[in-house]
PDB file of all heavy atoms in Angstrom:
ATOM      1  N   ARG A1195      54.678  14.568 103.083  1.00 98.00           N
ATOM      2  CA  ARG A1195      55.517  15.699 102.812  1.00 98.00           C
ATOM      3  C   ARG A1195      55.495  16.205 101.356  1.00 98.00           C
ATOM      4  O   ARG A1195      55.546  17.404 101.126  1.00 98.00           O
ATOM      5  CB  ARG A1195      56.946  15.428 103.147  1.00 98.00           C
ATOM      6  CG  ARG A1195      57.921  16.613 102.797  1.00 98.00           C
ATOM      7  CD  ARG A1195      59.019  16.825 103.759  1.00 98.00           C
ATOM      8  NE  ARG A1195      59.991  17.587 103.024  1.00 98.00           N
ATOM      9  CZ  ARG A1195      61.323  17.407 103.192  1.00 98.00           C
ATOM     10  NH1 ARG A1195      61.766  16.603 104.201  1.00 98.00           N
ATOM     11  NH2 ARG A1195      62.219  18.124 102.607  1.00 98.00           N
ATOM     12  N   LEU A1196      55.361  15.215 100.368  1.00 98.00           N
ATOM     13  CA  LEU A1196      55.513  15.670  99.007  1.00 98.00           C
ATOM     14  C   LEU A1196      54.239  15.669  98.304  1.00 98.00           C
ATOM     15  O   LEU A1196      54.202  16.199  97.061  1.00 98.00           O
ATOM     16  CB  LEU A1196      56.618  14.702  98.327  1.00 98.00           C
ATOM     17  CG  LEU A1196      57.874  14.693  99.111  1.00 98.00           C
ATOM     18  CD1 LEU A1196      58.852  13.601  98.548  1.00 98.00           C
ATOM     19  CD2 LEU A1196      58.654  16.011  99.016  1.00 98.00           C
ATOM     20  N   GLY A1197      53.204  15.015  98.733  1.00 97.00           N
ATOM     21  CA  GLY A1197      51.854  15.051  98.063  1.00 97.00           C
ATOM     22  C   GLY A1197      51.749  14.352  96.826  1.00 97.00           C
ATOM     23  O   GLY A1197      50.841  14.601  95.974  1.00 97.00           O
ATOM     24  N   LEU A1198      52.663  13.338  96.578  1.00 97.00           N
ATOM     25  CA  LEU A1198      52.523  12.549  95.349  1.00 97.00           C
ATOM     26  C   LEU A1198      52.387  11.092  95.690  1.00 97.00           C
ATOM     27  O   LEU A1198      52.949  10.650  96.689  1.00 97.00           O
ATOM     28  CB  LEU A1198      53.743  12.744  94.439  1.00 97.00           C
ATOM     29  CG  LEU A1198      53.870  14.081  93.728  1.00 97.00           C
ATOM     30  CD1 LEU A1198      55.209  14.093  92.975  1.00 97.00           C
ATOM     31  CD2 LEU A1198      52.785  14.378  92.821  1.00 97.00           C
ATOM     32  N   PRO A1199      51.681  10.281  94.866  1.00 97.00           N
ATOM     33  CA  PRO A1199      51.669   8.858  95.115  1.00 97.00           C
ATOM     34  C   PRO A1199      53.110   8.300  95.186  1.00 97.00           C
ATOM     35  O   PRO A1199      53.990   8.708  94.387  1.00 97.00           O
ATOM     36  CB  PRO A1199      50.932   8.323  93.855  1.00 97.00           C
ATOM     37  CG  PRO A1199      50.353   9.486  93.219  1.00 97.00           C
ATOM     38  CD  PRO A1199      51.065  10.705  93.598  1.00 97.00           C
ATOM     39  N   THR A1200      53.395   7.479  96.084  1.00 98.00           N
ATOM     40  CA  THR A1200      54.704   6.977  96.353  1.00 98.00           C
ATOM     41  C   THR A1200      54.726   5.461  96.495  1.00 98.00           C
ATOM     42  O   THR A1200      53.837   4.816  97.206  1.00 98.00           O
ATOM     43  CB  THR A1200      55.293   7.648  97.629  1.00 98.00           C
ATOM     44  OG1 THR A1200      55.334   9.040  97.475  1.00 98.00           O
ATOM     45  CG2 THR A1200      56.745   7.148  97.869  1.00 98.00           C
ATOM     46  N   ALA A1201      55.684   4.818  95.869  1.00 98.00           N
ATOM     47  CA  ALA A1201      55.919   3.368  96.000  1.00 98.00           C
ATOM     48  C   ALA A1201      57.226   3.090  96.648  1.00 98.00           C
ATOM     49  O   ALA A1201      58.253   3.753  96.260  1.00 98.00           O
ATOM     50  CB  ALA A1201      55.683   2.740  94.678  1.00 98.00           C
ATOM     51  N   LEU A1202      57.263   2.204  97.592  1.00 98.00           N
ATOM     52  CA  LEU A1202      58.514   1.750  98.255  1.00 98.00           C
ATOM     53  C   LEU A1202      58.823   0.330  97.705  1.00 98.00           C
ATOM     54  O   LEU A1202      57.921  -0.494  97.773  1.00 98.00           O
ATOM     55  CB  LEU A1202      58.344   1.783  99.749  1.00 98.00           C
ATOM     56  CG  LEU A1202      59.690   1.524 100.499  1.00 98.00           C
ATOM     57  CD1 LEU A1202      60.621   2.620 100.338  1.00 98.00           C
ATOM     58  CD2 LEU A1202      59.324   1.332 101.988  1.00 98.00           C
ATOM     59  N   GLY A1203      60.135   0.131  97.312  1.00 97.00           N
ATOM     60  CA  GLY A1203      60.477  -1.197  96.837  1.00 97.00           C
ATOM     61  C   GLY A1203      61.840  -1.633  97.399  1.00 97.00           C
ATOM     62  O   GLY A1203      62.557  -0.863  98.030  1.00 97.00           O
ATOM     63  N   HIS A1204      62.157  -2.952  97.186  1.00 96.00           N
ATOM     64  CA  HIS A1204      63.388  -3.531  97.607  1.00 96.00           C
ATOM     65  C   HIS A1204      64.396  -3.372  96.538  1.00 96.00           C
ATOM     66  O   HIS A1204      64.110  -3.598  95.389  1.00 96.00           O
ATOM     67  CB  HIS A1204      63.123  -5.028  97.878  1.00 96.00           C
ATOM     68  CG  HIS A1204      64.337  -5.707  98.309  1.00 96.00           C
ATOM     69  ND1 HIS A1204      65.020  -6.579  97.456  1.00 96.00           N
ATOM     70  CD2 HIS A1204      64.961  -5.895  99.505  1.00 96.00           C
ATOM     71  CE1 HIS A1204      66.041  -7.077  98.083  1.00 96.00           C
ATOM     72  NE2 HIS A1204      65.994  -6.707  99.406  1.00 96.00           N
ATOM     73  N   ASP A1205      65.632  -3.052  96.908  1.00 95.00           N
ATOM     74  CA  ASP A1205      66.561  -2.692  95.886  1.00 95.00           C
ATOM     75  C   ASP A1205      66.845  -3.752  94.816  1.00 95.00           C
ATOM     76  O   ASP A1205      66.853  -3.501  93.542  1.00 95.00           O
ATOM     77  CB  ASP A1205      67.912  -2.119  96.494  1.00 95.00           C
ATOM     78  CG  ASP A1205      68.582  -3.170  97.384  1.00 95.00           C
ATOM     79  OD1 ASP A1205      67.944  -4.218  97.687  1.00 95.00           O
ATOM     80  OD2 ASP A1205      69.734  -2.968  97.804  1.00 95.00           O
ATOM     81  N   VAL A1206      67.023  -5.001  95.277  1.00 96.00           N
ATOM     82  CA  VAL A1206      67.236  -6.124  94.368  1.00 96.00           C
ATOM     83  C   VAL A1206      65.997  -6.436  93.518  1.00 96.00           C
ATOM     84  O   VAL A1206      66.038  -6.643  92.420  1.00 96.00           O
ATOM     85  CB  VAL A1206      67.799  -7.327  95.058  1.00 96.00           C
ATOM     86  CG1 VAL A1206      67.879  -8.496  94.152  1.00 96.00           C
ATOM     87  CG2 VAL A1206      69.128  -7.084  95.686  1.00 96.00           C
ATOM     88  N   ARG A1207      64.784  -6.427  94.284  1.00 97.00           N
ATOM     89  CA  ARG A1207      63.634  -6.742  93.492  1.00 97.00           C
ATOM     90  C   ARG A1207      63.292  -5.673  92.335  1.00 97.00           C
ATOM     91  O   ARG A1207      62.853  -6.108  91.298  1.00 97.00           O
ATOM     92  CB  ARG A1207      62.439  -6.822  94.469  1.00 97.00           C
ATOM     93  CG  ARG A1207      62.412  -8.124  95.203  1.00 97.00           C
ATOM     94  CD  ARG A1207      61.029  -8.441  95.836  1.00 97.00           C
ATOM     95  NE  ARG A1207      60.674  -7.477  96.813  1.00 97.00           N
ATOM     96  CZ  ARG A1207      60.837  -7.621  98.231  1.00 97.00           C
ATOM     97  NH1 ARG A1207      61.437  -8.677  98.628  1.00 97.00           N
ATOM     98  NH2 ARG A1207      60.428  -6.694  99.049  1.00 97.00           N
ATOM     99  N   VAL A1208      63.534  -4.462  92.698  1.00 97.00           N
ATOM    100  CA  VAL A1208      63.226  -3.450  91.679  1.00 97.00           C
ATOM    101  C   VAL A1208      64.375  -3.524  90.561  1.00 97.00           C
ATOM    102  O   VAL A1208      64.042  -3.261  89.378  1.00 97.00           O
ATOM    103  CB  VAL A1208      63.126  -1.991  92.170  1.00 97.00           C
ATOM    104  CG1 VAL A1208      61.956  -1.948  93.152  1.00 97.00           C
ATOM    105  CG2 VAL A1208      64.326  -1.423  92.741  1.00 97.00           C
ATOM    106  N   GLY A1209      65.592  -3.862  90.977  1.00 97.00           N
ATOM    107  CA  GLY A1209      66.653  -4.093  89.981  1.00 97.00           C
ATOM    108  C   GLY A1209      66.221  -5.208  89.014  1.00 97.00           C
ATOM    109  O   GLY A1209      66.407  -5.062  87.803  1.00 97.00           O
ATOM    110  N   GLY A1210      65.716  -6.216  89.520  1.00 98.00           N
ATOM    111  CA  GLY A1210      65.186  -7.405  88.757  1.00 98.00           C
ATOM    112  C   GLY A1210      64.046  -6.927  87.857  1.00 98.00           C
ATOM    113  O   GLY A1210      63.931  -7.411  86.717  1.00 98.00           O
ATOM    114  N   LEU A1211      63.240  -6.113  88.431  1.00 97.00           N
ATOM    115  CA  LEU A1211      62.075  -5.625  87.708  1.00 97.00           C
ATOM    116  C   LEU A1211      62.559  -4.906  86.508  1.00 97.00           C
ATOM    117  O   LEU A1211      62.019  -5.066  85.320  1.00 97.00           O
ATOM    118  CB  LEU A1211      61.205  -4.739  88.583  1.00 97.00           C
ATOM    119  CG  LEU A1211      59.910  -4.178  88.104  1.00 97.00           C
ATOM    120  CD1 LEU A1211      58.880  -5.415  88.048  1.00 97.00           C
ATOM    121  CD2 LEU A1211      59.372  -3.157  89.063  1.00 97.00           C
ATOM    122  N   ALA A1212      63.491  -4.036  86.713  1.00 97.00           N
ATOM    123  CA  ALA A1212      64.016  -3.147  85.529  1.00 97.00           C
ATOM    124  C   ALA A1212      64.728  -4.153  84.491  1.00 97.00           C
ATOM    125  O   ALA A1212      64.519  -3.943  83.302  1.00 97.00           O
ATOM    126  CB  ALA A1212      64.998  -2.175  86.025  1.00 97.00           C
ATOM    127  N   GLU A1213      65.516  -5.093  84.927  1.00 98.00           N
ATOM    128  CA  GLU A1213      66.196  -5.954  84.036  1.00 98.00           C
ATOM    129  C   GLU A1213      65.176  -6.794  83.223  1.00 98.00           C
ATOM    130  O   GLU A1213      65.309  -7.075  82.015  1.00 98.00           O
ATOM    131  CB  GLU A1213      67.101  -6.899  84.734  1.00 98.00           C
ATOM    132  CG  GLU A1213      68.412  -6.236  85.206  1.00 98.00           C
ATOM    133  CD  GLU A1213      69.393  -5.874  84.037  1.00 98.00           C
ATOM    134  OE1 GLU A1213      69.117  -6.321  82.870  1.00 98.00           O
ATOM    135  OE2 GLU A1213      70.326  -5.095  84.349  1.00 98.00           O
TER     136      GLU A1213
END
Side-chain angles (χ1 to χ4, degrees):
R1195 171 146 162 213
L1196 305 170
L1198 289 178
T1200 301
L1202 184 69
H1204 176 263
D1205 58 351
V1206 173
R1207 285 199 293 267
V1208 301
L1211 189 67
E1213 286 290 347

